Amino acid sequence: MCLAIPARVVSLDADDMATVALEGIRKPVSTALIDDVAVGEYVLVHVGFALHKLSEEEADRTLKLMMEAGVLAEELEELAAAGSTGDVP
């Protein structure tokens, strides 16, 4: 389905890149479209780009709604298939 999904920034990398984590999946994403991203913040991720920062509460609420709608598992599968870099505790 390819929806944007909230994920937590776990590291900031070179050249406007960061690593985000969600449900045991780590993925590199571009942060070129948003300013002042910090480790621990939540961003909305779509096709390899962080599009928008959001609060932890907003991220949790969005993920819960996606789970209730039955689309979270599918989005996590697509996220993992598109360049996962391993498990996150």
Side-chain angles (χ1 to χ4, degrees):
M1 187 176 290
C2 208
L3 299 172
I5 189 166
R8 182 176 48 89
V9 176
V10 294
S11 70
L12 297 174
D13 308 320
D15 300 324
D16 288 329
M17 294 296 290
T19 300
V20 297
L22 178 64
E23 297 292 323
I25 300 167
R26 282 184 185 246
K27 178 170 175 62
V29 297
S30 172
T31 59
L33 301 175
I34 54 178
D35 294 324
D36 302 322
V37 179
V39 171
E41 290 185 316
Y42 285 80
V43 293
L44 199 55
V45 176
H46 182 63
V47 294
F49 287 87
L51 302 176
H52 177 73
K53 291 194 289 187
L54 60 162
S55 69
E56 183 174 0
E57 295 79 18
E58 188 176 7
D60 288 340
R61 187 172 45 252
T62 301
L63 290 168
K64 183 178 178 183
L65 288 170
M66 291 177 80
M67 185 174 63
E68 290 172 0
V71 298
L72 183 58
E74 181 180 337
E75 292 304 313
L76 289 172
E77 285 177 22
E78 288 184 22
L79 186 67
S84 173
T85 59
D87 290 335
V88 178

